[in-house]
Amino acid sequence: PALALEAIQRQTNPLRVAGLFTLASIGALAIVYLLVMQLGLPYWVVYGAVALLAIGLPIMLLTGHHERQRAVARTTGMAAATPPGGMRRLFTWRWAILGGGLAFVGLTAVAATYTTMRLMGIGPVGTLMATGAIGERERLILAEFENRTADSSLGPTVTELFRVGMTQSPVLTVMEPNRLAPILARMELDPNVRINEPLALEIAVREGLKAIVTGDIVLVGSGYAISAQVVSVDGEVLTAQQTSARSADEIIAAVDELSARLRERIGESLRTIRRKHPLEQVTTASLEALNLYTQGLRAVDAGDDDRAVELFASAIAQDSTFAMAWRKLGAVLGNNFEQRDRAVEAITKAYEHRDRLTDRERAYATGMYHATVTGERDKVIAAYRTLLETYPNDGTALNNTGVEYFVLRDYRRALEYYRRALELDSSVALFFTNTAGTFGMLGEYDSAAAVLDTFDERFPGNPRSTEQRYGLAFAQRDYEAAAGYLRDLAERQAGNLFWGAWVGQERARLATIRGRPADAGRNWREVLEVTERRGLPGSYISNSVGAALHRLLTTGESADAGRLVRDALERYPLDSLPLLDRPYAFLARYYALAGDATRAHAAAQAFEASGLWQMGRGFERQYHRALGWASAAGGDFETAIAELHRGFQGSGCPPCELSTLARAFDMAGESDSALAYWEAYATSPVRWSFMDATELPTSYRRVGELYEAEGDAERALEYYNRFVELWQDADPELQPIVQDVRRRMARLVGEG
């Protein structure tokens, strides 16, 4: 009996009971937390479990005490003398464990009831999606928060923070401000007008949306009260949430909490909300940097890219790990095809800090990095496809996937992605122009024009429409219509340096393709003047080389062409340019076609010595092309053709490859291969002005000459005739070439 009593006392020792209960509680809480996270249950389930276990501990200790008393009584024979009575008889291990189990069953029933009511839209806990007030992946307009503080920058900054928080949702689509621009244009409003609540509601009604999101920020003592509401188009507040920040330093965290609450109330799964990244992590901890970034976004929307670049750079100066600012800076610079060195640096920095981005932004940064820096197209497509698994309606991911298939020359698949993006969101100009351009690449010009007609309705006056129509006219060889579009664009964009340079380039190309080098020269001089005013030395050299190639390949005159290149390099020595802005491959091509083998080799060697060729597949391809041209200039045509082939693997420019190899085979004296490539170029449905300017007239004449040499008079006449039609109004200095072709045609048909 003494040993039995000792064992019972040891088993019911309060410390032992508390220890075992603590271990069991930890296990129970772990299971509850796992279920909460996996099933998307509310956090109060965990708090409820903690409360039940807190209540259970004294019950278990008291049960242990009574069990020990009963055991002592039984061991000493006092059980009959001390019969159990009152509440004490309930404090047994059996009842304690059963009671705890029933408590947890009750907690489970409450959680299940709450979840069912939430998902079914029953009672006050029903979500807006469950009640049908908002649909899944519903488009919402975010109005700018009303700023009731003395800090005028706080409204736009809090609005942008809240937008980032809301865009982490896979079930909502918050329209970007730039996507509202065409709607504002149709409403005859300034595209930079502040989107307040009344205007947001008016836009929602026009676009057939169900609701908007709005909010305000109010100064309360030394802190802030921040609220957000979902408002239906008839003005009813569907739900409202509020939070507070004790100081400006807590605003980011407060907005993070507020966006999560609103997403939950709208109907997003708690599981996906909990997977979101804290706003401070995916944006910046610096409110000043965020303010500068927000101003930069507004500058982009206003079309002031130079100002936007300055603001993004200032934001980065405040926080060098601000990945969103790095990505946006790289996007603005990259989209303009200018300051390539700086653009690649920004894109690389965004990729290096991608852990500080939302899921969407991280996919964008990864795709942009591999597209721009490494050139690994498979990784680009993988990044966007992964994003589309979670956000299947992400227009940017759909569009960018289309871009990659376009570069891979799979135009049908590219068109599929572009059209999906356009069907989901017709508020993005780029989706229209990419769709129209791809129809043009496929030779489906009527479909392209129809897309542009719709584009004009949604984006009245947008210069990209005229740009696209110019490209379609050029592709169909309707050069008079193309010239008309350039005139229209020049008039509408008078004073805009970017469009001034672009129109000048295209006018030079139109003049060159029709055999008018005098006009082309004047246009190129205007382009160089504008480029210098814009402070773009890399573009100045590239444009000078382009002008020189036009002169050389059209007239055969090398002195003036050489002077253009020489003057540009004296004005801006290559070593003074950012590494990525140095056009080594372009120079190698020019020198090879000018017959200057020494300088062609020097350009290729400088390319290699710079290390630029190791900075991604795009630069690697350029390096192989530079080697190819240098080898061709030196007479090593076997190496030249192999290197040029390598230089176009994975390139998105099929006409470039055809004409380059045609010239290489011509230089090598391999007439059969030259004929095959020149004819493939001449008949390709893909027509781009920057290649056609010099190569289309050459292809017509060379195919005619090569067929004539083979004795195929019919085909020779066909191509000679195309050439004469193209150059019939050529400048006097080129008329001897036209007359020579006419004489060849006369001989072939037996005329004098």
Side-chain angles (χ1 to χ4, degrees), residues 160 176 293 297 312 316 321-335 342-354 356-369 372 384 396 400:
E160 187 56 35
E176 296 291 335
Y293 171 79
L297 293 179
F312 291 141
I316 291 165
T321 65
F322 193 175
M324 286 176 67
W326 280 117
R327 191 189 78 79
K328 204 66 182 178
L329 175 61
V332 171
L333 293 172
N335 287 343
R342 194 176 177 191
V344 168
E345 178 198 13
I347 291 166
T348 302
K349 288 288 187 181
Y351 180 73
E352 289 172 354
H353 296 299
R354 62 191 181 279
R356 295 185 58 82
L357 292 169
T358 65
D359 291 342
R360 290 183 194 247
E361 287 278 332
R362 187 181 304 114
Y364 300 157
T366 301
M368 185 183 295
Y369 174 76
T372 306
Y384 291 128
T396 300
N400 292 359

Side-chain angles (χ1 to χ4, degrees), residues 469-493:
R469 292 184 187 278
Y470 163 79
L472 292 175
F474 193 102
Q476 296 173 83
R477 301 176 179 83
D478 187 350
Y479 302 123
E480 290 302 327
Y485 287 122
L486 291 182
R487 283 193 299 274
D488 181 58
L489 192 53
E491 291 171 2
R492 291 175 179 270
Q493 298 298 320

Side-chain angles (χ1 to χ4, degrees), residues 22-39:
T22 299
L23 290 175
S25 297
I26 292 171
L29 285 175
I31 293 171
V32 170
Y33 182 78
L34 181 64
L35 290 172
V36 165
M37 299 306 291
Q38 292 297 318
L39 301 179

Side-chain angles (χ1 to χ4, degrees), residues 175-384:
M175 295 181 68
E176 296 291 335
N178 63 330
R179 301 188 180 183
L180 300 177
I183 304 170
L184 296 171
R186 292 197 299 276
M187 296 169 68
E188 299 182 350
L189 293 174
D190 184 342
N192 300 313
V193 68
R194 178 175 174 270
I195 308 294
N196 56 20
E197 182 176 341
L199 180 55
L201 284 170
E202 185 177 351
I203 294 171
V205 171
R206 282 173 171 265
E207 295 299 301
L209 307 183
K210 288 185 177 180
I212 68 166
V213 179
T214 186
D216 57 20
I217 177 167
V218 180
L219 189 64
V220 180
S222 60
Y224 302 88
I226 310 171
S227 63
Q229 306 87 34
V230 178
V231 182
S232 69
V233 289
D234 58 9
E236 178 188 357
V237 177
L238 301 177
T239 185
Q241 300 294 324
Q242 183 172 333
T243 188
S244 61
R246 287 176 294 183
S247 67
D249 294 337
E250 294 186 3
I251 285 178
I252 296 176
V255 174
D256 193 11
E257 179 186 352
L258 183 64
S259 65
R261 287 184 188 176
L262 200 68
R263 287 165 60 184
E264 176 184 352
R265 189 68 188 88
I266 288 172
E268 183 179 345
S269 164
L270 294 174
R271 183 174 58 180
T272 62
I273 293 174
R274 288 168 190 153
R275 286 205 303 261
K276 74 179 178 65
H277 307 284
L279 283 180
E280 183 171 314
Q281 176 184 326
V282 298
T283 56
T284 173
S286 168
L287 203 61
E288 176 62 23
L290 190 66
N291 179 30
L292 291 164
Y293 171 79
T294 303
Q295 292 180 54
L297 293 179
R298 296 198 164 210
V300 171
D301 294 340
D304 191 350
D305 285 357
D306 291 343
R307 174 66 176 155
V309 166
E310 178 185 335
L311 288 163
F312 291 141
S314 297
I316 291 165
Q318 294 286 329
D319 179 1
S320 61
T321 65
F322 193 175
M324 286 176 67
W326 280 117
R327 191 189 78 79
K328 204 66 182 178
L329 175 61
V332 171
L333 293 172
N335 287 343
N336 289 334
F337 300 99
E338 296 171 347
Q339 302 184 61
R340 186 173 176 82
D341 191 271
R342 194 176 177 191
V344 168
E345 178 198 13
I347 291 166
T348 302
K349 288 288 187 181
Y351 180 73
E352 289 172 354
H353 296 299
R354 62 191 181 279
D355 60 321
R356 295 185 58 82
L357 292 169
T358 65
D359 291 342
R360 290 183 194 247
E361 287 278 332
R362 187 181 304 114
Y364 300 157
T366 301
M368 185 183 295
Y369 174 76
H370 288 301
T372 306
V373 181
T374 70
E376 297 179 72
R377 302 292 172 190
D378 54 335
K379 292 185 178 179
V380 182
I381 293 173
Y384 291 128

